[in-house]
Amino acid sequence: MGANTLKLKVAERIEEPGNILRLRLVEASGAPLPAFEAGAHLDLHLKDGSTDLWRQYSLCSDPSKSDAYEIGVLRDPKSRGGSVAVHKLAQAGSTFEVDGPRNHFPLEENAEVSVLLGGGIGITPMLAMAQRLHALNRDFVLHYCTRSESVTAFKSLIESASWADKVVFHFDDQPAEQRLDLARDLPKPAPGTHLYVCGPQGFMDWVINTAEGAGHARANVHREYFSADVDQSGGGFEVVANRSGVTVRVEAGNTIAKALAAAGIKIEVKCEEGVCGTCVTDVLDGIPDHRDKFLTDEEREECSMICACCSRAATPTLVLDV
């Protein structure tokens, strides 16, 4: 195992409504766990027979506690294998190789106002953020959107929390006046107001576009995609692996990471959807065609990095530092 790899044991498996599994994970040796900050996630190694995947899951537990980590995993019918594997493998007492915690979705703890918006399983990082903001006595509100009250995971946990009065539930199958209305529910833009959104891609795009259209600064609209539809269209191009002295052709439907792997050059890949940042690689020459949801606008404009698992080239050749 690597320096940042843990061996975690499933101490408790809790079946939440909506086909969501809540897992309480402890260090297999009984040692305290590394501290984490609200917004952090874990990379779980899911290995069982022909299954050998890495998947990312946000921590939803209290950042002030180091005795256990908690995550929530939706069994997604469109899963590429990860969520199904977790639901199968995560039995009480089973162990997982885990990397992290890592945080690409940090909380601005000094914000004057924080608005948390979670759609479905996107509630998980918001739970950790709510607990941290409550501990800091900060002004915040959490909007939690689900299809129906009957499939609302973590509802009993939230309702028993000391910060329950900060949470507004929105159910798609109930009257329109209680559904999320961004014109009504988002505060006016202000330098000290920060928004956080996580959930299905359509929900996130709606919130982000509406917030920025209303005048909220992009830097104050924080987002974390847990999955994304990858656009694989486009013609072929060449990739020069500068340090390795190898040139490969990346044809339509293939990826940079896979083309390099076939030539014996390994770039570590985990999510395969451009959301986790594991495969970010330095670009020495050429212009990337960014297809990821990880890099910021500023990083894309610099053209100095690329997510090799999904992005392509806007020029005939890319030279990478691999």
Side-chain angles (χ1 to χ4, degrees), residues 11-244:
E12 191 174 7
R13 173 188 171 112
I14 302 164
E15 302 282 352
E16 292 278 351
N19 228 0
I20 289 175
L21 184 63
R22 176 156 50 111
L23 297 177
R24 185 173 175 82
L25 305 170
V26 298
E27 228 292 340
S29 67
L33 293 165
F36 74 95
E37 296 179 345
H41 70 270
L42 299 175
D43 295 346
L44 264 66
H45 191 193
L46 307 170
K47 193 169 185 178
D48 178 46
S50 60
T51 300
D52 190 354
L53 304 167
W54 285 92
R55 292 293 183 263
Q56 294 71 41
Y57 299 102
S58 296
L59 286 157
C60 59
S61 45
D62 188 341
S64 70
K65 297 179 179 178
S66 61
D67 59 327
Y69 294 147
E70 287 193 8
I71 61 172
V73 182
L74 168 67
R75 185 184 176 96
D76 187 348
K78 302 177 189 174
S79 167
R80 294 174 296 119
S83 70
V84 172
V86 173
H87 279 247
K88 174 188 174 184
L89 299 174
Q91 304 298 326
S94 60
T95 59
F96 291 91
E97 181 182 337
V98 175
D99 280 358
R102 295 191 176 93
N103 198 347
H104 304 309
F105 191 38
L107 183 64
E108 177 49 66
E109 296 187 346
N110 294 318
E112 294 175 12
V113 177
S114 298
V115 180
L116 315 178
L117 301 111
I121 191 60
I123 190 63
T124 48
M126 305 305 170
L127 295 176
M129 290 182 176
Q131 292 172 90
R132 177 59 177 164
L133 290 167
H134 178 71
L136 294 171
N137 197 30
R138 298 297 188 196
D139 185 5
F140 77 95
V141 61
L142 167 55
H143 293 278
Y144 182 13
C145 303
T146 67
R147 290 183 289 109
S148 173
E149 186 172 4
S150 64
V151 296
T152 299
F154 307 101
K155 189 168 185 289
S156 59
L157 182 151
I158 292 169
E159 290 176 335
S160 64
S162 55
W163 39 270
D165 62 327
K166 301 286 190 179
V167 182
V168 183
F169 292 97
H170 305 277
F171 308 118
D172 291 349
D173 64 351
Q174 291 193 20
E177 59 266 21
Q178 59 78 56
R179 295 176 199 156
L180 183 65
D181 180 344
L182 296 177
R184 175 195 66 202
D185 296 326
L186 290 184
K188 291 182 179 179
T193 296
H194 288 253
L195 314 180
Y196 301 82
V197 58
C198 186
Q201 185 170 346
F203 170 80
M204 293 185 62
D205 291 346
W206 171 55
V207 173
I208 292 166
N209 292 337
T210 302
E212 293 180 357
H216 288 273
R218 182 174 177 84
N220 286 20
V221 183
H222 311 274
R223 76 283 319 261
E224 182 170 65
Y225 289 86
F226 56 75
S227 66
D229 296 326
V230 178
D231 178 4
Q232 296 183 325
S233 64
F237 55 94
E238 287 192 340
V239 170
V240 178
N242 188 61
R243 283 190 281 118
S244 303

